[in-house]
Amino acid sequence: MITEHVRLDENNPDARLIERAGNIIKAGGLVAFPTETVYGLGGDALNAVSSEKIYAAKGRPSDNPLIVHIAEPEALSYITADVPECAKKLAAAYWPGPLTMIFKKSALVPKETTGGLDTVAVRMPDHRIALDFIRASGGYVAAPSANASGRPSPTTAAHVAEDMDGRIRMIIDGGDACIGLESTIVDVTERTPIILRPGFVTGEMLEKTLGYPVEVDRAILDKPAENLRPKAPGMKYRHYAPKGNLTIVEGPGERVVEEISRRTGQMLLAGETVGIIAVAETAGSYREGMVKDIGPLEDEEAIARRLYGLLREFDEAGVSVIYSEAFYTPRMGQAIMNRLLKAAGHQIVRLDNGGSPEAQ
Ligand code: TXA
Ligand code: MG
């Protein structure tokens, strides 16, 4: 298949190109498109065959449900069986925006789209191109992140092309994703809303909007017990994985630099090629390895935005071993570390203030 590449201006997207993209979706084809979080791989959410094509293009297991993207909150009532009060409040506060909610689905949504579940994930993205494209597509676009299964989510159209060229009909380039991490997912089908995936919208923000506490799926926390099964099927896979073997080193600043430098030296001697992800404050302290500056520690939005791109750069450079500092920043730290820990297959070395490193 030949993939058509089109470039659109977010402030003034060409209406004819949007219409062409929408017609591809209506005819059962696939189009990758920009959103504020990451690029999505879109198909008609109400067409079972389109959803099957999405799984095939990504090489993704078909028990992993897709998010249905809508362009107006009113569209919710067609695809859900019930919209609880809390969801109305959250939609009013965060849509359009980086929040996905899980509802009981209506009969309109095929099981192929929801990975066989009776629930459906819905989100209204905060991106002009995405919204115009969803409207032109009939209003319901199923879209996972537009990466091949197991690779980091794409934050640029070039990342999408790396994984999807020749597999889908069109890639819409709308520039760099401004958040860079996937949306927060909240299950609103239970009595208390539960965060299934942390993101830009934090638990604190949700609690402030609702006026009562929300829960967090314990299986997604830092050190999940072995037998906990994440409620979002996708969270159980080792997503976001770079090709190099990634280890996170956490602890006081200078000790982290020392430990990563020591390990880097050893690995280089053993013939490995080593990449290092460091904050701006420490990046200059490393003497060896391919060092990538992810941004200043206080700029957590830059860290979130750059993470996946850096992991892809290491893939391209053929790095075999990667060390990353930890980024427990105040607001987005939970989301950033959730993705980084998954990329590392939970390999983390925790340094305390004195003794020897404690490997996990
Ligand atoms: O920011 C985002 O959410 C991006 C952009 C494109 O919108 N999309 C995205 O989709 O990250 P994807 O497919 O890569 O991740 C969707 C996650 C998966 O972990 C999936 O298991 C979970 O949402 N999910 C979808 N439907 C669900 C459901 N009914 N119940 C529980 N989890 C669900
Ligand atoms: Mg994904």
Side-chain angles (χ1 to χ4, degrees), residues 38 58 60 64 144-147 151-154 182 197 239-240 308:
V38 299
K58 274 183 73 91
R60 169 177 182 153
N64 190 0
S145 48
N147 51 290
R151 295 214 71 202
S153 292
E182 306 85 345
R197 179 173 75 181
H239 262 290
Y240 323 117
Y308 288 146

Tab-separated table of all heavy atoms in Angstrom, residues 38 58 60 64 144-147 151-154 182 197 239-240 308, ligand 2:
chain	number	residue	atom	x	y	z
A	38	VAL	N	-0.262	12.196	21.739
A	38	VAL	CA	0.633	11.507	20.797
A	38	VAL	C	-0.163	11.326	19.498
A	38	VAL	O	-1.362	11.585	19.472
A	38	VAL	CB	1.074	10.120	21.340
A	38	VAL	CG1	1.839	10.262	22.651
A	38	VAL	CG2	-0.115	9.174	21.528
A	58	LYS	N	-0.728	-2.382	13.479
A	58	LYS	CA	0.150	-2.190	14.636
A	58	LYS	C	0.876	-3.461	15.043
A	58	LYS	O	1.847	-3.406	15.791
A	58	LYS	CB	-0.681	-1.740	15.853
A	58	LYS	CG	-0.919	-0.263	15.945
A	58	LYS	CD	-1.680	0.069	17.218
A	58	LYS	CE	-0.857	-0.041	18.490
A	58	LYS	NZ	-0.185	1.170	18.913
A	60	ARG	N	-0.710	-5.561	16.915
A	60	ARG	CA	-1.128	-5.494	18.318
A	60	ARG	C	-2.105	-6.618	18.627
A	60	ARG	O	-2.982	-6.919	17.827
A	60	ARG	CB	-1.810	-4.145	18.519
A	60	ARG	CG	-2.555	-3.950	19.822
A	60	ARG	CD	-3.082	-2.530	19.847
A	60	ARG	NE	-3.763	-2.232	21.083
A	60	ARG	CZ	-3.845	-0.983	21.577
A	60	ARG	NH1	-3.300	0.022	20.948
A	60	ARG	NH2	-4.486	-0.760	22.680
A	64	ASN	N	-6.624	-6.015	23.129
A	64	ASN	CA	-6.259	-4.730	23.713
A	64	ASN	C	-7.146	-3.634	23.112
A	64	ASN	O	-6.946	-3.235	21.975
A	64	ASN	CB	-4.780	-4.467	23.421
A	64	ASN	CG	-4.267	-3.284	24.201
A	64	ASN	OD1	-5.006	-2.666	24.964
A	64	ASN	ND2	-3.009	-2.951	24.002
A	144	PRO	N	-5.628	3.871	18.528
A	144	PRO	CA	-4.557	3.656	19.482
A	144	PRO	C	-3.414	4.602	19.103
A	144	PRO	O	-3.502	5.297	18.087
A	144	PRO	CB	-4.146	2.204	19.221
A	144	PRO	CG	-4.407	2.011	17.755
A	144	PRO	CD	-5.576	2.917	17.407
A	145	SER	N	-2.371	4.647	19.904
A	145	SER	CA	-1.191	5.404	19.504
A	145	SER	C	-0.654	4.785	18.212
A	145	SER	O	-0.731	3.570	18.014
A	145	SER	CB	-0.147	5.350	20.616
A	145	SER	OG	0.032	4.022	21.077
A	146	ALA	N	-0.099	5.638	17.315
A	146	ALA	CA	0.219	5.182	15.950
A	146	ALA	C	1.611	4.566	15.824
A	146	ALA	O	2.277	4.714	14.804
A	146	ALA	CB	0.062	6.350	14.972
A	147	ASN	N	2.055	3.861	16.864
A	147	ASN	CA	3.330	3.142	16.820
A	147	ASN	C	3.080	1.669	16.526
A	147	ASN	O	1.994	1.156	16.795
A	147	ASN	CB	4.022	3.254	18.184
A	147	ASN	CG	3.087	2.852	19.326
A	147	ASN	OD1	2.138	3.568	19.623
A	147	ASN	ND2	3.328	1.688	19.910
A	151	ARG	N	6.795	-0.435	20.384
A	151	ARG	CA	7.686	0.717	20.195
A	151	ARG	C	7.147	1.932	20.955
A	151	ARG	O	5.970	1.984	21.292
A	151	ARG	CB	7.798	1.059	18.705
A	151	ARG	CG	8.463	-0.031	17.892
A	151	ARG	CD	9.283	0.557	16.752
A	151	ARG	NE	10.477	1.228	17.218
A	151	ARG	CZ	11.135	2.168	16.527
A	151	ARG	NH1	10.702	2.555	15.356
A	151	ARG	NH2	12.226	2.713	17.018
A	152	PRO	N	8.000	2.920	21.222
A	152	PRO	CA	7.492	4.105	21.927
A	152	PRO	C	6.417	4.814	21.098
A	152	PRO	O	6.486	4.820	19.862
A	152	PRO	CB	8.737	5.003	22.053
A	152	PRO	CG	9.914	4.092	21.870
A	152	PRO	CD	9.450	3.009	20.951
A	153	SER	N	5.437	5.420	21.763
A	153	SER	CA	4.383	6.148	21.046
A	153	SER	C	4.999	7.285	20.227
A	153	SER	O	5.971	7.897	20.640
A	153	SER	CB	3.387	6.742	22.039
A	153	SER	OG	2.672	5.726	22.668
A	154	PRO	N	4.402	7.570	19.051
A	154	PRO	CA	4.966	8.601	18.171
A	154	PRO	C	4.551	10.014	18.584
A	154	PRO	O	3.379	10.276	18.803
A	154	PRO	CB	4.363	8.257	16.807
A	154	PRO	CG	3.135	7.479	17.091
A	154	PRO	CD	3.251	6.867	18.454
A	182	GLU	N	0.667	9.715	26.523
A	182	GLU	CA	-0.730	9.389	26.260
A	182	GLU	C	-1.645	9.925	27.374
A	182	GLU	O	-1.209	10.146	28.504
A	182	GLU	CB	-0.924	7.876	26.156
A	182	GLU	CG	-0.027	7.193	25.151
A	182	GLU	CD	1.338	6.854	25.732
A	182	GLU	OE1	1.704	7.382	26.805
A	182	GLU	OE2	2.045	6.045	25.113
A	197	ARG	N	-4.522	4.711	33.935
A	197	ARG	CA	-3.236	5.105	33.347
A	197	ARG	C	-2.992	6.568	33.705
A	197	ARG	O	-3.831	7.406	33.397
A	197	ARG	CB	-3.272	4.923	31.821
A	197	ARG	CG	-1.988	5.333	31.107
A	197	ARG	CD	-2.006	4.987	29.623
A	197	ARG	NE	-2.836	5.872	28.839
A	197	ARG	CZ	-3.039	5.763	27.523
A	197	ARG	NH1	-2.477	4.764	26.844
A	197	ARG	NH2	-3.808	6.624	26.888
A	239	HIS	N	5.047	-2.152	26.785
A	239	HIS	CA	4.968	-1.121	25.744
A	239	HIS	C	6.236	-0.317	25.701
A	239	HIS	O	7.095	-0.466	26.532
A	239	HIS	CB	3.896	-0.125	26.159
A	239	HIS	CG	2.589	-0.370	25.515
A	239	HIS	ND1	2.364	-0.152	24.199
A	239	HIS	CD2	1.437	-0.806	26.035
A	239	HIS	CE1	1.102	-0.433	23.940
A	239	HIS	NE2	0.518	-0.841	25.023
A	240	TYR	N	6.274	0.674	24.862
A	240	TYR	CA	7.231	1.762	24.931
A	240	TYR	C	8.665	1.263	25.016
A	240	TYR	O	9.533	1.926	25.560
A	240	TYR	CB	6.988	2.654	26.168
A	240	TYR	CG	5.553	2.860	26.531
A	240	TYR	CD1	5.042	2.409	27.741
A	240	TYR	CD2	4.691	3.504	25.659
A	240	TYR	CE1	3.721	2.604	28.079
A	240	TYR	CE2	3.363	3.703	25.983
A	240	TYR	CZ	2.889	3.241	27.191
A	240	TYR	OH	1.586	3.425	27.518
A	308	TYR	N	9.779	10.010	24.623
A	308	TYR	CA	9.639	8.986	23.586
A	308	TYR	C	10.559	9.244	22.402
A	308	TYR	O	11.112	8.309	21.811
A	308	TYR	CB	8.192	8.911	23.092
A	308	TYR	CG	7.228	8.294	24.079
A	308	TYR	CD1	5.918	8.733	24.153
A	308	TYR	CD2	7.618	7.263	24.920
A	308	TYR	CE1	5.014	8.177	25.036
A	308	TYR	CE2	6.720	6.703	25.812
A	308	TYR	CZ	5.430	7.153	25.869
A	308	TYR	OH	4.539	6.589	26.732
B	2	MG	MG	-0.219	2.838	22.811
